[in-house]
């Protein structure tokens, strides 16, 4: 049974930082991984994604320069370091594993390219 679990969310002031973690079990941890977020009334959007090797990454324009995605395949864990947080970053953050392994630099960026999802971790940024 595949299980994806996120942690690290919380309440922070604007300008603060959070480090989200995502651990996957029940599968070989060599798939592209992604972080997505969804605010109330909004569609789920890709925040950052990383190839299975960790050598290729994607960042939404809103995340560039502030967020950093990384992975530790030995620990079956992917991280999202979020700095300079803004109130607009407030959302439920989800971690997901891609449908296909692809090449070492394959980095899908859309939610419909991912099939295994965590339960989400809430990030709230106050002004």
């Amino acid at each position: 049974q595949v299980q994806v679990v996120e942690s690290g969310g919380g309440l922070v002031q604007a300008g603060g930082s959070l480090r989200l973690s995502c651990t996957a079990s029940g599968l070989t941890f060599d798939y592209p991984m992604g972080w997505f977020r969804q605010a109330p009334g909004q569609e789920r959007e890709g925040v950052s994604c990383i190839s299975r090797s960790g050598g290729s990454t994607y960042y939404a324009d809103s995340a560039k320069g502030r967020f950093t995605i990384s992975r530790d395949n030995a620990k079956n864990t992917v991280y999202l370091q979020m700095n300079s947080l803004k109130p607009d970053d407030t959302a439920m953050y989800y971690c997901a594993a891609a449908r296909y392994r692809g090449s070492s630099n394959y980095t899908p960026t859309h939610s419909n390219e991912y099939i295994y999802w965590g339960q989400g971790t809430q990030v709230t940024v106050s002004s």
Side-chain angles (χ1 to χ4, degrees):
Q1 194 83 349
V2 175
Q3 186 175 27
V4 179
V5 180
E6 307 96 333
S7 63
L11 279 63
V12 297
Q13 293 272 55
S17 298
L18 284 174
R19 182 174 181 259
L20 307 184
S21 298
C22 169
T23 300
S25 62
L27 51 70
T28 303
F29 197 70
D30 61 352
Y31 286 77
M33 301 291 292
W35 286 98
F36 299 80
R37 67 187 181 189
Q38 187 167 26
Q42 304 294 317
E43 66 180 11
R44 190 167 298 186
E45 63 175 346
V47 178
S48 185
C49 305
I50 188 167
S51 64
R52 61 182 174 88
S53 70
S56 181
T57 58
Y58 159 83
Y59 296 96
D61 288 343
S62 61
K64 290 179 181 176
R66 300 189 298 125
F67 294 1
T68 302
I69 191 170
S70 61
R71 66 190 297 159
D72 185 341
N73 287 349
K75 295 183 177 180
N76 286 9
T77 301
V78 63
Y79 306 94
L80 185 67
Q81 178 67 46
M82 305 187 295
N83 298 326
S84 302
L85 283 163
K86 306 173 181 179
D88 285 350
D89 295 318
T90 296
M92 184 72 74
Y93 282 69
Y94 298 91
C95 177
R99 184 184 303 272
Y100 304 112
R101 289 174 177 166
S103 64
S104 62
N105 63 345
Y106 169 59
T107 312
T109 61
H110 296 96
S111 61
N112 61 8
E113 298 172 295
Y114 291 79
I115 58 170
Y116 299 114
W117 294 84
Q119 82 292 338
T121 185
Q122 179 67 39
V123 171
T124 302
V125 184
S126 61
S127 60

